[in-house]
Amino acid sequence: MLRATFKLLSLHNTCRRIAFAISNPKSWPISASLITMGNQSSSVNPPVRGMASENEVFSKEELKKRLTPMQYHVTQERGTERAFTGKYNKHSEGGTYYCVVCHESLFSSDTKFESGCGWPAFNDVLDSGKVKLTKDTSHGMVRTEVSCLKCNAHLGHVFGDGPRPTGKRFCINSASLDFKSYADQKKEAS
């Protein structure tokens, strides 16, 4: 019991430090301009794989029209929404979470848990073949970035301090997700 309590407190403190660092760019050990510089593309308007099939592409302009500014910033510019502000952080309805860019099903509400970090947290994905995990050294930290495999949209990060049975905490931006309840899915199937 004591070990579990310590692990939970450690997780909470880690989340608070990350939330503070992201919300306060002046606290970052490197310049914010250097961080954004690394995320800029050398191409003026590269195509982005999109919705209906892997062969369909969307330009930056198309995505900017379809997505909100925050959704575009998070998914296309590898941004992060402020902690505790996302619409799915405290969301508890049963259903499926989808990539906001390509509508690929990624997470189930059955694996969502309250981590206290300020972003929706899941202990597993629907299918490991639907996400790409990449080393991320931005913001002066070493983390594992989670991206949608189908469209390469940035989703968030995964950490090794989640609950059993996986021990993983997929910390995902609400702005990168769409949600469909089980009831709505059942209506569509009928």
Side-chain angles (χ1 to χ4, degrees), residues 66-100:
R66 188 163 54 86
L67 302 174
T68 67
M70 179 57 75
Q71 289 171 331
Y72 185 87
H73 173 65
V74 168
T75 62
Q76 304 304 303
E77 298 172 337
R78 306 289 192 250
T80 302
E81 64 196 6
R82 291 185 70 132
F84 303 102
T85 62
K87 67 180 178 179
Y88 298 125
N89 180 41
K90 297 285 186 180
H91 190 255
S92 59
E93 187 176 4
T96 305
Y97 294 86
Y98 297 83
C99 174
V100 74

Side-chain angles (χ1 to χ4, degrees), residues 15-56:
C15 290
R16 287 179 57 209
R17 283 195 305 270
I18 291 171
F20 175 80
I22 290 171
S23 300
N24 298 285
K26 290 181 181 178
S27 72
W28 298 345
I30 56 177
S31 165
S33 63
L34 291 175
I35 293 168
T36 57
M37 222 170 53
N39 291 331
Q40 293 174 349
S41 174
S42 58
S43 174
V44 175
N45 193 14
V48 179
R49 291 189 330 192
M51 289 172 66
S53 71
E54 289 188 36
N55 296 328
E56 187 174 2

